[in-house]
Amino acid sequence: MASLPYAVIILVFAVYAIHDLHARPLPVLRRSIPHLSQSPDSLRPPPLASYEVLRRDRVSDEPRVRSDRATAGLFDVTAYGAKGDGKTESTKAFLSAWRDACNHPGKSTLLIPPGIFYVGPLLFDGPCHHNQSPKMVIRGTLRAPSDVSVFLKPNWIVFHRLHGLIINGEGNALLDGQGKEAWQDPSCQKKSKCDTLPRSLRFEHVSNGTISNIALLNSKGVHVSLLRSTNIILDGLNVTAPWNSPNTDGIHVGDSTNIKIVSSTIGTGDDCVSIGPGSFNVSVFNTTCGPGHGISIGSLGQNEKNVGGIKVRNCTIVGTQNGLRIKTWPGSPPSKAFDMTFEDVIMIDVPNPIIIDQEYCPSNSCHKSKPSLVQLSDIAFRNITGTARTTPPVTINCSKKVPCRNVTLEKIDLKKVKHGEHGRSLWSFIWKSFW
């Protein structure tokens, strides 16, 4: 019982401590949670006007979706209004998408999704950001207007002043030139020179480019044209037009260097491949040609530009008017064509499998009394086999003023085939000739 006063004293101190705890703030606790020291007004929700600004930002998500695509580097032409219904005019949408892709600060891709897109003349111009072109992926069909009057210049789709261009077809990528209406004009059949019909695909001042896995159909004029371009690969192209469609060359190369045409199939109404003045180091490998006029160097002599470093290898030529041809105009100014090799080529039912013609004059309006001044030299035909429809299968008509030099034929085995007969050997020999 003597300890009872001590218990009372302890109880009094405990009651006082509890009262003091409720009466005074806890400064240590307030320092550990800083926001508790803020004024009450700062803890209130933002006013309604500020919330409305946030809400409007969220409502404007549609432009942000396009911006997000740009950030990712993907520019879909349908996001710019293009419609793949085959009838809606989509030229402006394509050009707007290209403009943004070209100006994008990082890597960019212009996407043409599945569908049929009706587009007029298109100029994909550069240079682009840091001189690096967007990649173009084609999964659908581009269809040209059939009316020639729509084209102020003789081109449909042009890529100009670009570096590092990649165009890749995926699935059924197709450029439909709708040339049938344009071919009906008989003017080109009556004149030695006629107005150039629009080319479907033109590359001008393009460097370090790759174009692959694309089909081209019924161009009004030349299907693919390269001018003043360097280091270009054309891989896996499929070019088609009727055998009687005029001036519809498959691929024409002019004033260009380091061009490779590989693994392609070309059948048109004119040359499958034509290589014009000013072209150097052009290769045609693993390509099938026919119908058409064959694989041609020229026509040369319309200016003084030279040609050299041409290689045609592992190709098949089927049912064309000519096979491997070098053609120069009579009365031409002086120039040179040299270092040309044609080897491992199969001919199937081809008239004129091998021909050098330095009096080329398709409309008989030339002055043949004036000889060609194009000097041909260092030309080799090796391992040319198959069937021909003419006798002899080799024609060499060199200039009388500047005769051919160092023309070599080796392992030429060509047979003539008539309906219902087996092949009869026309030329089967190893022959080295020098003019």
Side-chain angles (χ1 to χ4, degrees), residues 98 102 124-128 159-162:
W98 172 262
C102 184
F124 297 117
D125 200 9
C128 294
F159 293 87
H160 182 236
R161 297 187 304 176
L162 296 168

Side-chain angles (χ1 to χ4, degrees), residues 249-425:
D249 299 53
I251 300 172
H252 177 74
V253 181
D255 282 311
S256 297
T257 303
N258 297 333
I259 308 299
K260 294 182 179 179
I261 301 167
V262 296
S263 303
S264 295
T265 301
I266 305 171
T268 68
D270 211 303
D271 294 328
C272 295
V273 177
S274 58
I275 300 171
S279 300
F280 294 90
N281 299 330
V282 180
S283 302
V284 183
F285 295 160
N286 303 316
T287 290
T288 299
C289 166
H293 295 180
I295 297 175
S296 296
I297 313 302
S299 54
L300 305 178
Q302 294 174 304
N303 56 46
E304 298 179 354
K305 295 180 180 179
N306 300 330
V307 174
I310 310 301
K311 293 179 175 59
V312 177
R313 182 180 300 139
N314 293 330
C315 293
T316 301
I317 301 179
V318 183
T320 55
Q321 289 186 13
N322 302 284
L324 304 169
R325 178 169 58 158
I326 302 171
K327 51 184 178 177
T328 74
W329 291 87
S332 58
S335 62
K336 296 180 180 180
F338 56 91
D339 186 19
M340 295 179 280
T341 302
F342 308 85
E343 59 184 343
D344 301 324
V345 177
I346 297 174
M347 305 282 179
I348 301 176
D349 198 23
V350 176
N352 306 313
I354 298 173
I355 179 169
I356 295 177
D357 182 7
Q358 292 208 259
E359 293 183 347
Y360 174 73
C361 186
S363 57
N364 296 317
S365 62
C366 311
H367 299 288
K368 290 189 177 182
S369 59
K370 296 181 179 180
S372 173
L373 297 182
V374 180
Q375 175 70 74
L376 303 180
S377 63
D378 301 316
I379 303 169
F381 297 91
R382 301 192 187 100
N383 195 30
I384 312 299
T385 62
T387 57
R389 285 196 282 130
T390 55
T391 305
V394 177
T395 301
I396 297 178
N397 181 18
C398 294
S399 169
K400 296 178 177 63
K401 184 70 174 180
V402 284
C404 304
R405 294 181 181 176
N406 196 17
V407 178
T408 303
L409 293 92
E410 301 181 37
K411 297 182 180 179
I412 311 298
D413 188 357
L414 295 166
K415 298 178 174 62
K416 185 173 182 179
V417 176
K418 294 182 179 179
H419 294 293
E421 295 183 3
H422 295 290
R424 180 170 58 87
S425 179

Side-chain angles (χ1 to χ4, degrees), residues 159 165 167 201-206 211 224-227 229:
F159 293 87
L165 175 67
I167 304 175
L201 191 56
R202 173 86 155 185
F203 300 94
E204 189 169 351
H205 292 289
V206 175
I211 298 88
V224 181
S225 172
L226 288 84
L227 180 65
S229 295

Side-chain angles (χ1 to χ4, degrees), residues 116-129:
I116 300 175
F117 296 90
Y118 182 80
V119 290
L122 292 169
L123 173 60
F124 297 117
D125 200 9
C128 294
H129 187 78

